[in-house]
């Protein structure tokens, strides 16, 4: 990557964003300080040195620390200057680029996929699509698909740097000529082996927050989602491993549908407020973060993209002049959902759960093995669906919800191992106070309930519910 900086201005908001994208997508970088002709000749060298030091400092904590920095004037005198003006420093820049380039290992196998960045017609020839081959290879006479338009065309001819060729592979820049295709239909996009790319309505991605983005990443928030050449609006839902699996090694670029995942109100990071269920995992108040987090992305309009492609989420509606990073997260697309009705057909397979915690109070003792509870359910709740669920009393006993009691949302709890003598005493004292208060005036009753509320016996009901379970079943371990 070549990061071009105006030497008179230094890093701008958009240069910083380019740097962030570079850190996500590139391994090497060269910084070019441009427009050095605008610096007065007497002070030019010292100004270049000052800006070079500034850039070195900026890059210190990035993967590009120590990268080459070259000063140039690509067009001395600006756009209006005569063509005879020679650029300054460009030949040195070319030497630096030569010393930095390397040949990546390239593989012609697999499906053909090409990113098209330009499309135009040539009279008497056809329509030419130019771009870079991302994977696989292509030969004269092959059929290629433009998946966004659901159109398939035959390769009539090909050129690489004005030279006709019959074959091209991963990494090549190539122009592919097809016939009877209107170039206005495709400015940028993907072309591929027919039926190898899918159009998806939603996706599961693994992701990381971009450290320079200010503020939390909230579930249900909308982001601009960039996939290849396309940017569409999408809504996110974040989830993590179950707390017991936070430290577990996660296999890269695979998503395991067999596992349970914990729903998160926001992406967990050092500065986010940990949710209740994660707090149980904290040690000495330190937030423990999972090794990997995921998001479900739901697109406002479908996108066509390969599996494992790079995904970037941004808030592009932020004011460009507000000195803030608009790029929020980046990730890898692990699983796309092609079915429009993915809510019914696909999402029930995704086992993301929420932990639910309800609290009530013991009203009175019925006998040694049962109590009546209140304040756990609303009056209109159908208590039948909770029958058989386990509860715990604050005094330590385990109980099971046995059924409703009366019409006001009260319920009966069976205590299989019986109530402890201390619990019975505590509850009997409380109910005696109540009955005394009942005989006296209301003022006494208020006072008595204040005293008795100092130490009520509480009932805890804990269960988990899967977010995409149509039956909304309650599950206890």
């Amino acid at each position: 990557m070549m990061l071009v900086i105006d030497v008179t201005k230094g890093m701008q908001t958009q240069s910083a964003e380019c740097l962030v994208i570079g850190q996500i997508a590139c391994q090497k970088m060269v910084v070019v300080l441009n427009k050095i002709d605008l610096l007065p000749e007497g002070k030019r060298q010292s100004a270049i040195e000052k800006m070079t030091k500034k850039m070195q400092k900026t890059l210190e904590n990035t993967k590009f620390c120590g990268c080459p920095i070259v000063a140039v004037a690509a067009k001395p005198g600006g756009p209006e200057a005569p063509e005879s003006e020679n650029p300054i420093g460009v030949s040195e820049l070319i030497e630096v680029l030569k010393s930095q380039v390397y040949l990546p290992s390239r593989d012609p196998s697999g499906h053909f996929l090409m990113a098209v960045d330009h499309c135009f017609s040539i009279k008497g020839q056809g329509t030419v699509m130019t771009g870079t081959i991302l994977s696989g290879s292509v030969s004269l006479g092959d059929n290629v698909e433009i998946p966004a338009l659901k159109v398939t065309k035959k390769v009539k001819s090909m050129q690489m740097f004005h030279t006709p060729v019959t074959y091209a592979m991963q990494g090549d820049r190539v122009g592919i000529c097809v016939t009877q295709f209107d170039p206005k239909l495709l400015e940028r996009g993907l072309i591929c082996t027919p039926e190898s790319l899918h159009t998806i309505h939603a996706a599961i991605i693994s992701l990381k927050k971009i450290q320079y983005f200010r503020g939390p990443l909230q579930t249900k928030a909308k982001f601009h989602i960039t996939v290849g050449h396309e940017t569409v609006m999408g809504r996110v839902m974040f989830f993590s491993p179950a707390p017991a699996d936070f430290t577990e090694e996660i296999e890269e670029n695979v998503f395991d549908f067999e596992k349970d995942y914990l729903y998160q109100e926001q992406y967990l990071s050092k500065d986010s407020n940990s949710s209740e269920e994660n707090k149980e995992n904290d040690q000495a108040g330190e937030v423990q973060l999972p090794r990997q987090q995921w998001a479900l992305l739901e697109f406002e309009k479908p996108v066509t993209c390969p599996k494992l492609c790079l995904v970037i989420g941004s808030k592009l509606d932020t004011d460009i002049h507000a000195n803030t990073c608009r790029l929020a997260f980046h990730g890898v697309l692990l699983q796309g959902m092609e079915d429009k009705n993915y809510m019914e057909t696909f999402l029930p397979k995704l086992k993301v759960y929420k932990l639910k915690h309800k609290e009530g109070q013991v009203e009175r003792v019925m006998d040694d093995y049962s109590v009546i509870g209140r304040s756990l359910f609303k009056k209109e709740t159908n208590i039948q669906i909770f029958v058989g669920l386990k509860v715990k009393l604050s005094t330590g006993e385990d109980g099971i919800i046995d059924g409703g009691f009366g019409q006001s949302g009260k319920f009966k709890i069976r205590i299989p191992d019986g109530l402890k003598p201390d619990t019975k005493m505590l509850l009997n004292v409380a109910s005696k106070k109540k009955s005394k208060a009942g005989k006296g005036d209301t003022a006494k009753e208020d006072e008595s309930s204040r005293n008795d509320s100092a130490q009520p016996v509480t009932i805890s009901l804990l269960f988990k519910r899967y977010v995409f379970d149509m039956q909304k079943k309650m599950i206890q371990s």
Side-chain angles (χ1 to χ4, degrees):
M1 160 172 166
M2 198 159 67
L3 183 66
V4 183
I5 302 288
D6 180 334
V7 74
T8 64
K9 291 179 180 168
M11 283 289 274
Q12 304 286 290
T13 305
Q14 58 270 44
S15 344
E17 286 185 352
C18 291
L19 180 56
V20 170
I21 294 170
Q23 287 208 80
I24 295 165
C26 294
Q27 294 310 316
K28 286 190 164 199
M29 182 171 83
V30 173
V31 174
V32 181
L33 303 176
N34 192 22
K35 303 189 182 179
I36 59 170
D37 57 306
L38 298 179
L39 301 168
E41 245 175 278
K43 297 177 182 169
R44 187 174 292 174
Q45 204 42 46
S46 67
I48 290 170
E49 280 167 19
K50 198 173 163 190
M51 187 53 80
T52 302
K53 280 202 177 107
K54 226 175 174 177
M55 285 307 301
Q56 284 166 338
K57 186 104 187 84
T58 301
L59 300 174
E60 222 168 41
N61 298 320
T62 71
K63 65 155 83 159
F64 305 123
C65 177
C67 79
I69 299 173
V70 186
V72 307
K75 186 108 168 54
E80 273 68 62
E83 287 302 320
S84 56
E85 278 285 348
N86 283 327
I88 305 167
V90 170
S91 50
E92 289 88 331
L93 172 61
I94 290 169
E95 288 311 311
V96 169
L97 289 174
K98 279 186 187 170
S99 72
Q100 293 293 307
V101 293
Y102 60 98
L103 271 179
S105 57
R106 293 190 164 146
D107 179 8
S109 68
H111 290 308
F112 166 68
L113 176 65
M114 170 166 151
V116 173
D117 43 53
H118 196 38
C119 191
F120 54 92
S121 61
I122 296 177
K123 215 172 174 170
Q125 295 282 320
T127 296
V128 176
M129 299 179 272
T130 62
T132 303
I133 300 178
L134 302 179
S135 69
S137 62
V138 63
S139 299
L140 266 183
D142 282 358
N143 281 329
V144 295
E145 185 189 4
I146 305 154
L149 305 169
K150 302 273 183 279
V151 169
T152 300
K153 291 279 164 200
K154 190 175 237 168
V155 177
K156 185 187 167 198
S157 62
M158 294 195 288
Q159 276 194 9
M160 278 164 67
F161 301 101
H162 308 292
T163 309
V165 292
T166 57
Y167 171 85
M169 65 175 270
Q170 185 185 49
D172 286 335
R173 284 287 301 172
V174 65
I176 290 180
C177 183
V178 298
T179 54
Q180 294 169 324
F181 177 67
D182 181 356
K184 290 193 189 80
L185 295 174
L186 181 77
E187 184 193 358
R188 288 176 160 192
L190 296 166
I191 62 171
C192 62
T193 302
E195 296 189 359
S196 63
L197 267 201
H198 304 296
T199 298
I200 59 174
H201 298 268
I204 293 169
I205 66 164
S206 59
L207 80 156
K208 295 219 169 339
K209 183 179 178 179
I210 289 167
Q211 67 191 86
Y212 310 105
F213 183 78
R214 289 189 201 145
L217 304 179
Q218 300 282 13
T219 279
K220 294 190 180 144
K222 282 186 176 178
F223 290 89
H224 292 87
I225 308 292
T226 302
V227 182
H229 283 314
E230 288 189 86
T231 296
V232 298
M233 291 304 287
R235 193 183 291 281
V236 296
M237 181 195 88
F238 297 105
F239 57 97
S240 72
D245 301 335
F246 267 23
T247 54
E248 207 177 280
E249 274 289 344
I250 307 259
E251 200 182 336
E252 250 192 324
N253 297 342
V254 199
F255 186 78
D256 187 349
F257 282 95
E258 295 307 307
K259 287 200 156 141
D260 275 18
Y261 299 93
L262 177 60
Y263 173 91
Q264 298 291 355
E265 289 292 349
Q266 60 182 51
Y267 179 89
L268 299 177
S269 58
K270 284 192 181 75
D271 48 359
S272 67
N273 304 321
S274 183
S275 65
E276 284 305 316
E277 28 301 20
N278 301 324
K279 280 184 184 151
E280 296 167 18
N281 245 32
D282 298 354
Q283 280 145 17
E286 205 176 285
V287 179
Q288 194 177 11
L289 298 175
R291 287 191 169 198
Q292 181 62 68
Q293 294 180 63
W294 298 270
L296 168 69
L297 298 182
E298 299 185 78
F299 305 117
E300 285 193 356
K301 67 182 225 302
V303 294
T304 303
C305 57
K307 216 173 165 181
L308 303 183
C309 66
L310 171 66
V311 178
I312 296 179
S314 336
K315 288 275 189 192
L316 298 179
D317 41 5
T318 313
D319 178 11
I320 185 70
H321 303 296
N323 186 18
T324 177
C325 178
R326 300 178 301 164
L327 307 167
F329 60 82
H330 66 96
V332 174
L333 194 141
L334 302 178
Q335 182 77 46
M337 295 166 218
E338 292 171 64
D339 192 338
K340 225 184 198 148
N341 304 315
Y342 63 90
M343 289 295 282
E344 290 87 51
T345 57
F346 193 97
L347 288 185
K349 287 187 246 179
L350 178 58
K351 298 196 285 190
V352 175
Y353 68 87
K354 286 182 181 181
L355 272 186
K356 301 281 190 181
H357 185 201
K358 289 175 169 286
E359 276 212 344
Q361 287 179 10
V362 174
E363 165 127 318
R364 60 187 170 87
V365 177
M366 275 187 85
D367 55 47
D368 287 356
Y369 292 92
S370 50
V371 295
I372 300 297
R374 62 179 167 87
S375 311
L376 193 63
F377 306 112
K378 294 192 180 95
K379 194 176 170 181
E380 59 276 12
T381 304
N382 173 14
I383 293 174
Q384 250 350 82
I385 58 174
F386 292 90
V387 167
L389 290 186
K390 296 176 232 167
V391 292
K392 199 166 188 73
L393 304 191
S394 53
T395 45
E397 291 90 341
D398 290 316
I400 294 163
I401 297 176
D402 229 9
F405 184 82
Q407 299 301 309
S408 58
K410 290 180 187 174
F411 52 97
K412 188 178 166 190
I413 296 173
R414 188 160 47 82
I415 315 284
D417 296 334
L419 287 166
K420 296 177 191 166
D422 292 0
T423 309
K424 272 174 26 193
M425 265 175 62
L426 192 65
L427 289 167
N428 286 335
V429 168
S431 57
K432 268 180 198 155
K433 276 187 185 171
K434 260 193 190 163
S435 58
K436 268 188 195 162
K439 289 172 194 154
D441 55 17
T442 49
K444 273 187 189 157
E445 189 175 343
D446 285 352
E447 202 179 306
S448 134
S449 60
R450 269 204 299 275
N451 292 342
D452 121 44
S453 71
Q455 214 185 2
V457 175
T458 56
I459 303 161
S460 279
L461 169 63
L462 272 169
F463 59 91
K464 63 183 188 186
R465 194 178 254 162
Y466 290 105
V467 177
F468 302 113
D469 172 21
M470 301 292 186
Q471 275 108 39
K472 296 196 165 171
K473 289 195 288 282
M474 291 167 285
I475 291 156
Q476 290 182 313
S477 52

